[in-house]
Each structure stands twice: as C-alpha cells, then as structure tokens.
Amino acid sequence: MAESQGYLTLVTQQVIIPKNKAGCILEARFMTVEDIARDLGVAEDTVRSWIRERKLPAYRVGKEYRIKIVDYERFLEQRRTTDGDLQEKD
C-alpha cells in the first residue's frame, strides 16, 4: 500500500515468512541449479557439470539437484581472486 505525504511516497509491504507445523520460521536453506545459473549468469548445464565434477556439492532430489546455500557460498569463496592472482607474471 502506498501513501503520498508531500514529496515522499511511503510504500509498505507485507512479508510472508513460511513456518513449519511447530510454528518455527523456515529458512531457505537450498538453491536450485536454475537459481545458481541465474545468479552467476551461466548456463544450467554449466552448474550441472560443476556438480558432476564434484566441484559443487549437491543433493539429488528425484531428477533435480538441490544445493545448500552454505555450500554455494563456499564454492564461490574458493574461486575468489585476490590482487596477487591478477598481477602479471614475469
């Protein structure tokens, strides 16, 4: 709902947080191949090849893969470059 007050427009949104049967807040702990491909701007087949090559840990759920967010973050951190990596070698 948006309200106009002078020059400012206030926008309020309702955020729905899923809860389990016990009433505890559920966290999104997994990503899909599609999520990661979109996030990195690569093809889904590229993400699947990282999984097959054991570079990116994943869980097989039916015919799909699920990747823990912490594993995805670790995967990215392991590929992070530093200033030393970018300097030309003589």
Side-chain angles (χ1 to χ4, degrees), residues 13-60:
Q13 296 179 348
Q14 181 180 6
V15 177
I16 300 171
I17 300 173
K19 296 183 178 185
N20 65 12
K21 292 179 183 179
C24 298
I25 294 175
L26 298 176
E27 295 181 28
R29 298 182 312 165
F30 292 89
M31 297 178 74
T32 64
V33 168
E34 181 183 1
D35 294 333
I36 292 173
R38 188 176 338 116
D39 191 44
L40 295 177
V42 298
E44 291 180 24
D45 285 341
T46 300
V47 177
R48 286 188 196 93
S49 72
W50 292 334
I51 293 169
R52 282 193 303 273
E53 294 166 5
R54 306 266 190 235
K55 294 178 180 178
L56 178 62
Y59 295 88
R60 186 83 182 207

